[in-house]
Amino acid sequence: ILDLVQEARATVAGEEPQGTFPLGSLESTAAVRIPELLAAYNQKYAKVELDLSTGPSGTMIDGVLAGRLAAAFVDGPVLHPALEGVPAFEEEMVLIAPLHHAPIDRAKDVNGENIYAFRSNCSYRHHFESWFAKDAAVPGKIFEMESYHGMLACVSAGAGLALMPRSMLESMPGCTTVSVWPLTESFRYLRTWLVWRRGTVSQSLTMFVRLLEERGVVLKEQ
């Protein structure tokens, strides 16, 4: 509470952003989308100490609501009355399968096959399960993993399927050791949002959003 009071006073006084800026992010966004953005922010506002945490959307949203995080990049849009935000990135989601897997055009083509995913509060996992359900199909056993690299290794070994952003897949060594299949159009694209608690007064956050806008990151809402 004292930190928030100090932040509010600095904002009203028009002072340069300073202090700790706890930011949350999806793992794929942290790995692929925001490193240059964070470097630019750090260079421009040297008095701000960026504290980055990564995890599933559910965990990140809980962190924002509880005040542990000032803002977070999550799968959106987030329809929560206590949150507001801006769309930042569009991700193409792809299904990865063993290299010589038969063609995959729909969920029924892989009905009953094992999948690799993050914990149950991961929005991408929910998206994957919804893709199966929409086609009246079900995955086999769901193995919970801690990283995309682990998923890629298991799929490459022929042990199952996984869903991930194409940008994340293409950033990893070994991405050519699996076959890649686009999802049906209604499931193919997801947007990543930067969200924060509604009514937050924070110079650090305001300047961060402004930097997003200056670099052309903020998307138009649809």
Side-chain angles (χ1 to χ4, degrees), residues 26 55-62 118-126 144:
L26 298 168
S57 280
T59 302
M60 297 297 97
I61 290 172
D62 288 345
F118 289 119
R119 297 186 297 275
S120 59
N121 63 348
C122 173
S123 59
Y124 288 171
R125 172 170 169 174
H126 294 164
E144 294 188 355

Side-chain angles (χ1 to χ4, degrees), residues 64-204:
V64 173
L65 291 172
R68 295 189 299 273
L69 299 173
F73 287 101
V74 301
D75 179 40
V78 178
L79 305 177
H80 192 292
L83 297 175
E84 58 185 335
V86 292
F89 308 104
E90 186 168 74
E91 298 290 357
E92 180 190 4
M93 305 303 293
V94 294
L95 180 68
I96 62 172
L99 198 55
H100 301 294
H101 196 284
I104 303 172
D105 296 316
R106 54 187 294 186
K108 281 189 176 179
D109 293 336
V110 290
N111 186 55
E113 293 197 29
N114 295 336
I115 66 172
Y116 294 88
F118 289 119
R119 297 186 297 275
S120 59
N121 63 348
C122 173
S123 59
Y124 288 171
R125 172 170 169 174
H126 294 164
H127 191 70
F128 201 7
E129 293 173 334
S130 296
W131 176 74
F132 273 95
K134 184 73 174 181
D135 200 27
V138 293
K141 187 172 181 179
I142 301 176
F143 295 93
E144 294 188 355
M145 306 293 289
E146 296 297 325
S147 72
Y148 284 112
H149 292 83
M151 292 182 196
L152 180 60
C154 290
V155 174
S156 179
L161 314 170
L163 180 74
M164 65 180 65
R166 184 183 290 274
S167 60
M168 184 67 203
L169 173 65
E170 293 179 348
S171 75
M172 293 188 292
C175 63
T176 59
T177 63
V178 295
S179 59
V180 183
W181 307 93
L183 298 185
T184 46
E185 199 61 32
S186 60
F187 285 89
R188 188 169 180 177
Y189 295 99
L190 293 175
R191 280 192 166 184
T192 301
W193 282 57
L194 177 69
V195 299
W196 56 88
R197 283 179 298 174
R198 188 176 298 278
T200 296
V201 179
S202 167
Q203 275 284 77
S204 299

